[in-house]
Amino acid sequence: MSGKRLLLALAAIFAAASVFYFVAGRTEAEGITEVALPPGYRIERYITGLMFPTAITWDESGAMYISEAAADKGEGSRWGAGAKPGTGKDGSRYGRVIRVSPDVHEVVVDGLNSPVTDVKIRGGIMYVAHRGCLSAMEAVEGASTAPADTSGPEANVKDGKRTELLKGLPSGDHFTGEIAFGRDGWIYVGNGTVTNSGVVGEDNFLRGWAASSSENHDIPAKDIALAGMNFTSSNPRTINPFDNAVTGGFLPFGTQSTPGQEISGKPQAGGVIYRVMEDGGDAQVYAWGFRNPFGIGFAPDGQLIAIDQGYQDRGSRPVANAPDPVYCVSEGSWYGWPDFAAGEPVTDSKFLSAAKSVPLANLLQEHPRVEKPIALFEPGTGLMKFGFAPVIFDASQRMYVAAFGQGDIACAQFGAQRFQHGIATGRSGKPSTEFGSCILALDINTGKHEVFAHNKSLAPAGENLSGFNHPVDAKFGPDGSMYVVDFGVIEGDGKTFRAVPGTGAVWKISIQRSELKIFREKCMALIQGIAGSATGLGGDQEDAPGGKSGSWDPDYTELRARVQDYINGLAGLGQEWGVFFKDLTSGKAFGVNEDLQVPAASTVKVAVVLYTGNLVSRGELSWNERLTYNAARDWRGGAGTIQYTAKDGDTFTIRELAEKAITHSDNVAWKMLERRLGKENLINFMREIGGQTVYPGGQNISTPRDNATYMEAALNFSKANSEGEKLMFDLAHTIWNTGLNRYITEVQVAHKEGDIMGVADDVGVVYAERPYILSVMSKGHDDVEAGFERIGEISRMIFDYQNSLPR
């Protein structure tokens, strides 16, 4: 695809992305990764090369946006946002939001407080949750470059086109979490606690923030009275390793509490779910007593659901074996932190730490009524964010949850992090838990849950990205597919760990068997019902052998004359056109300049993938064979996503490359396949199936007749082999639809477009009541897009004529 046409097509995609997502479907689950799925689902790596992604969303047009927790470099922003690119004074990175299309990654918001944890879009306004803030931003040019102000009590500070709906929220171990839009018009967002269990300790110095924020501590949302329990730990602020500090709950490090000591609740608190109006007015605490309500959202029936990440066995007040609970949240309720874990008191012996001898004791003197969870997940699962499935994906509309496993998104903020206990996974991907690094399905009515998608190794995949590393979000797109945001690789030695930049990814999980079934019933059955279709493609209808003799005997003399007249009318523009048509029922065919030699461009990918399928069907090649990408050898510009996302050493299966070569016209995928197949082998195959003008002089040149030959060979292959059926399905679900089916919406068209400078080609099968093959090639265009418009006009002319013939 040419650069100019690529930009035009992307504009069309952004304008009607819901349609794009629907037609870009795939077939059933294939073994292209090391991820195990239930029967009937398929997974693909959709985007790679991301910098610590944390959330995914879509605007009203269907364009995709991804938040990245932190990035070292920034680009210009078109939204009322953020700061200069780079790092903060404390060495932390800035976060950002990017817009992603099939061929473009564009930074739209930069300079946000790291980590950025969520992004949502409604009514043309982008809402971003980032450390200490909830910001609303309008799409503008020349946005402010001032960093977010996280200080001060005000919740409605406007900075040009940016409004801080909430700011100055406490953070430390945890941060501002997910955003949810209520039916009541409120905007809801979670904010985590400063510490693990209410007491600042050594673990917080290891995380970095306690050393730089000496007065930072947990802040309750409502007034509380302390029980007076204090906890002893070593004192990292002195050089004497034997110095200790004694610290009470909800107080700065080294400050002791007393029985009955009152701590005043504040509007800017941790462990809460806030709600606020769109203009930032009337911000209020909706519910409190959470540890880290990182994932929140509304169920289909309107219930507010929240995930609360369980305590960890670390720090001055360790709590072991704490599950990750899921709650149905009600206004004003308390959910137990810091003295209850999933509705049970932390003084229960089952929560006793095995790593540190610390008595189990309450921090609060009295407790409000504690709410019980609707579901529990095993300790170490690392529940993050979730989405409710549409009926097309799951008839019961269960809740699908991203399970991060062991690790923490905080490592994206400052780089390497130290922890008291081994919670990181190494580059080798050794198993650390059987519960994380997966997608879980939960029935919120019964509390029953199961693993839906997981790595076959039961361990993070590592840098080969053959499976999940640390899923952080699971959302359903406009096409009904699940999109899993994977934070990326976290490597470590058990004490220190770091997130590896550029290893973040988005995975797409689709249920496609029904679409393939519909395609098979509507299109393939139509072709299968045609008996005796001609295998030769003669240029004159008199020479073409018949199909259903006597039952369908169309006369295409008039149609040929119309096509000839149309092409003659373009001669004055300096263009050359060739057309070949074949009716698949009668076998009759005609051509106009059908042997005109024209650069084939991407239409040659039909033959490439057809040859691939033939080799697989003969057992000479496997769809699961992986090819390694090398930019110096494989990179190609033009159409496709691999050029933007792949890095040296990435591997792709033959199946993955074949699909991308057809559905996205991916040029890198094409060249990697061609390299594996061997160009001479491909040329011989094209000649064997009837090609006459095959790479003359080594150039990718063809004719309308030959392109139709390859398309009919693919169609015939599909009748006899499921691999061919898959190829036809992909041809019918390409994202490039500006030629043969430009003006045909009544029926399915399986086709392959191709263009380079001055050239516009398209060849396909039109699944009309009387199906046919149409191949159009042209050259000499000043405007290639205008060439595709004329291909669309020729195609519509033929379609109308075919339908007008007497039955």
Side-chain angles (χ1 to χ4, degrees):
M1 294 288 172
S2 67
K4 180 178 179 181
R5 186 160 175 257
L6 180 62
L7 294 175
L8 290 168
L10 287 175
I13 290 170
F14 284 136
S18 293
V19 176
F20 154 68
Y21 284 119
F22 175 75
V23 301
R26 300 292 194 278
T27 58
E28 65 262 30
E30 300 286 350
I32 66 165
T33 67
E34 296 303 313
V35 177
L37 291 167
Y41 292 88
R42 186 198 185 284
I43 187 167
E44 64 174 304
R45 284 177 301 192
Y46 196 72
I47 302 166
T48 57
L50 299 174
M51 289 286 290
F52 318 124
T54 55
I56 189 169
T57 194
W58 293 262
D59 64 18
E60 284 81 354
S61 74
M64 178 187 294
Y65 295 78
I66 295 170
S67 62
E68 293 183 315
D72 292 321
K73 295 181 179 180
E75 299 176 27
S77 169
R78 60 177 291 274
W79 293 72
K84 299 175 182 178
T87 55
K89 293 179 180 179
D90 59 0
S92 63
R93 298 166 167 133
Y94 288 127
R96 65 188 183 185
V97 178
I98 63 173
R99 181 170 60 191
V100 181
S101 74
D103 296 285
V104 173
H105 291 188
E106 175 190 6
V107 176
V108 294
V109 179
D110 206 350
L112 298 164
N113 297 333
S114 175
V116 178
T117 53
D118 198 34
V119 58
K120 295 286 193 298
I121 298 175
R122 183 172 72 171
I125 306 297
M126 177 182 289
Y127 298 88
V128 180
H130 51 128
R131 179 169 47 87
C133 294
L134 171 62
S135 303
M137 306 170 189
E138 297 182 42
V140 294
E141 300 296 336
S144 166
T145 57
D149 176 12
T150 60
S151 63
E154 297 85 359
N156 186 14
V157 179
K158 294 194 174 183
D159 176 14
K161 293 295 184 179
R162 171 173 173 161
T163 302
E164 304 299 350
L165 305 184
L166 295 168
K167 72 167 190 172
L169 303 180
S171 65
D173 287 3
H174 309 121
F175 314 97
T176 312
E178 186 165 16
I179 304 162
F181 299 123
R183 297 176 182 175
D184 53 9
W186 292 88
I187 300 172
Y188 294 74
V189 66
N191 192 59
T193 57
V194 173
T195 69
N196 172 44
S197 57
V199 181
V200 181
E202 298 170 72
D203 57 324
N204 308 123
F205 283 88
L206 293 174
R207 287 175 174 254
W209 62 262
S212 59
S213 305
S214 61
E215 296 300 312
N216 197 14
H217 59 83
D218 287 295
I219 300 172
K222 296 186 179 182
D223 296 346
I224 59 173
L226 299 180
M229 291 299 301
N230 296 297
F231 301 83
T232 301
S233 67
S234 63
N235 189 351
R237 291 178 177 166
T238 70
I239 60 174
N240 187 343
F242 299 103
D243 279 355
N244 290 330
V246 181
T247 308
F250 294 90
L251 294 169
F253 181 74
T255 304
Q256 299 185 39
S257 67
T258 58
Q261 180 178 352
E262 294 185 354
I263 303 293
S264 298
K266 295 184 178 180
Q268 295 162 310
V272 303
I273 293 177
Y274 284 100
R275 68 176 183 182
V276 62
M277 298 303 293
E278 291 183 355
D279 61 358
D282 201 19
Q284 56 188 249
V285 172
Y286 183 75
W288 65 305
F290 299 97
R291 179 177 176 273
N292 188 24
F294 191 73
I296 69 171
F298 287 91
D301 63 1
Q303 296 182 89
L304 178 59
I305 305 298
I307 285 171
D308 194 20
Q309 296 173 350
Y311 300 79
Q312 294 178 341
D313 187 4
R314 62 176 172 87
S316 298
R317 186 177 179 249
V319 179
N321 308 312
D324 285 354
V326 178
Y327 294 102
C328 181
V329 182
S330 56
E331 184 176 1
S333 295
W334 183 68
Y335 291 84
W337 189 90
D339 289 342
F340 290 79
E344 297 187 66
V346 297
T347 53
D348 190 301
S349 61
K350 66 183 176 184
F351 297 122
L352 187 65
S353 173
K356 186 173 183 179
S357 178
V358 178
L360 298 170
N362 290 327
L363 293 187
L364 305 188
Q365 197 170 63
E366 298 180 351
H367 301 110
R369 185 176 70 87
V370 64
E371 298 294 327
K372 300 290 186 178
I374 61 173
L376 294 175
F377 290 81
E378 293 289 337
T381 302
L383 297 188
M384 287 290 184
K385 292 186 277 190
F386 59 88
F388 285 92
V391 174
I392 190 175
F393 190 92
D394 181 344
S396 60
Q397 294 187 278
R398 289 182 297 174
M399 173 176 155
Y400 287 80
V401 189
F404 196 87
Q406 295 185 356
D408 200 307
I409 68 169
C411 59
Q413 183 185 5
F414 294 103
Q417 296 270 304
R418 286 183 57 83
F419 282 80
Q420 287 181 308
H421 307 296
I423 65 173
T425 55
R427 189 182 298 257
S428 63
K430 293 181 180 179
S432 59
T433 174
E434 61 180 330
F435 305 111
S437 299
C438 65
I439 299 298
L440 301 157
L442 168 65
D443 185 335
I444 63 171
N445 296 314
T446 65
K448 294 181 179 180
H449 53 81
E450 63 182 1
V451 176
F452 173 77
H454 66 90
N455 293 344
K456 296 173 184 177
S457 65
L458 299 181
E463 291 193 70
N464 65 12
L465 303 185
S466 61
F468 299 138
N469 278 296
H470 294 283
V472 69
D473 196 6
K475 290 294 185 289
F476 291 88
D479 61 347
S481 297
M482 181 197 301
Y483 292 82
V484 177
V485 179
D486 192 322
F487 184 77
V489 175
I490 297 177
E491 60 182 18
D493 59 8
K495 293 182 179 180
T496 303
F497 77 98
R498 62 181 287 271
V500 180
T503 59
V506 174
W507 296 81
K508 179 180 178 181
I509 301 177
S510 307
I511 179 168
Q512 300 289 356
R513 288 186 186 274
S514 58
E515 288 188 21
L516 180 58
K517 181 179 178 182
I518 292 171
F519 178 75
R520 183 181 293 121
E521 291 174 350
K522 288 187 175 180
C523 300
M524 297 307 298
L526 187 67
I527 298 299
Q528 293 285 5
I530 298 173
S533 176
T535 56
L537 287 166
D540 299 311
Q541 58 173 314
E542 292 80 11
D543 297 332
K548 292 183 178 180
S549 179
S551 60
W552 173 245
D553 187 26
D555 183 356
Y556 292 114
T557 303
E558 181 182 348
L559 177 60
R560 186 183 187 284
R562 291 184 187 179
V563 174
Q564 182 73 67
D565 287 345
Y566 184 94
I567 289 176
N568 290 343
L570 302 174
L573 300 176
Q575 301 169 6
E576 295 183 76
W577 287 79
V579 176
F580 190 90
F581 167 92
K582 180 177 181 181
D583 171 61
L584 292 171
T585 305
S586 66
K588 288 192 172 182
F590 72 82
V592 177
N593 301 331
E594 62 269 34
D595 293 318
L596 176 70
Q597 294 190 10
V598 180
S602 289
T603 61
V604 74
K605 295 168 186 174
V606 175
V608 171
V609 177
L610 175 60
Y611 182 38
T612 304
N614 269 266
L615 292 178
V616 170
S617 70
R618 299 201 300 261
E620 299 174 23
L621 193 67
S622 169
W623 287 124
N624 295 324
E625 179 183 333
R626 305 191 75 89
L627 303 183
T628 301
Y629 173 80
N630 178 278
R633 175 189 61 202
D634 299 322
W635 189 90
R636 296 293 187 279
T641 60
I642 297 179
Q643 62 176 306
Y644 297 101
T645 61
K647 61 183 183 299
D648 284 350
D650 283 356
T651 63
F652 300 87
T653 64
I654 296 289
R655 167 66 81 197
E656 197 172 3
L657 294 172
E659 288 182 349
K660 289 185 178 295
I662 298 299
T663 59
H664 285 70
S665 197
D666 197 296
N667 288 333
V668 175
W670 163 33
K671 287 301 178 182
M672 290 180 72
L673 283 175
E674 186 180 79
R675 169 168 56 84
R676 173 62 180 86
L677 300 174
K679 191 171 182 179
E680 286 303 316
N681 294 334
L682 174 63
I683 290 172
N684 290 336
F685 172 77
M686 294 168 72
R687 287 174 176 156
E688 287 172 5
I689 61 176
Q692 300 298 313
T693 304
V694 183
Y695 278 94
Q699 300 298 307
N700 181 23
I701 289 174
S702 187
T703 67
R705 186 202 303 267
D706 280 357
N707 269 8
T709 297
Y710 307 140
M711 184 60 69
E712 185 169 28
L715 188 62
N716 289 336
F717 184 54
S718 73
K719 298 178 187 179
N721 194 292
S722 61
E723 305 302 343
E725 188 176 72
K726 174 70 170 58
L727 169 57
M728 297 308 298
F729 178 86
D730 287 344
L731 287 166
H733 293 81
T734 171
I735 68 170
W736 303 100
N737 295 289
T738 59
L740 293 183
N741 62 345
R742 188 185 191 104
Y743 301 119
I744 297 176
T745 59
E746 299 93 326
V747 299
Q748 193 86 57
V749 179
H751 70 119
K752 186 72 196 74
E753 298 179 7
D755 75 278
I756 55 176
M757 185 174 295
V759 172
D761 304 330
D762 203 353
V763 58
V765 178
V766 179
Y767 291 97
E769 183 178 346
R770 301 288 186 180
Y772 57 90
I773 290 174
L774 178 60
S775 174
V776 184
M777 302 183 76
S778 59
K779 57 185 177 180
H781 297 285
D782 293 328
D783 183 352
V784 169
E785 186 58 29
F788 280 99
E789 184 174 353
R790 293 185 176 108
I791 289 176
E793 291 172 352
I794 293 171
S795 180
R796 185 71 209 193
M797 177 198 309
I798 292 173
F799 179 78
D800 289 341
Y801 187 91
Q802 182 81 337
N803 285 341
S804 69
L805 292 173
R807 299 295 184 263

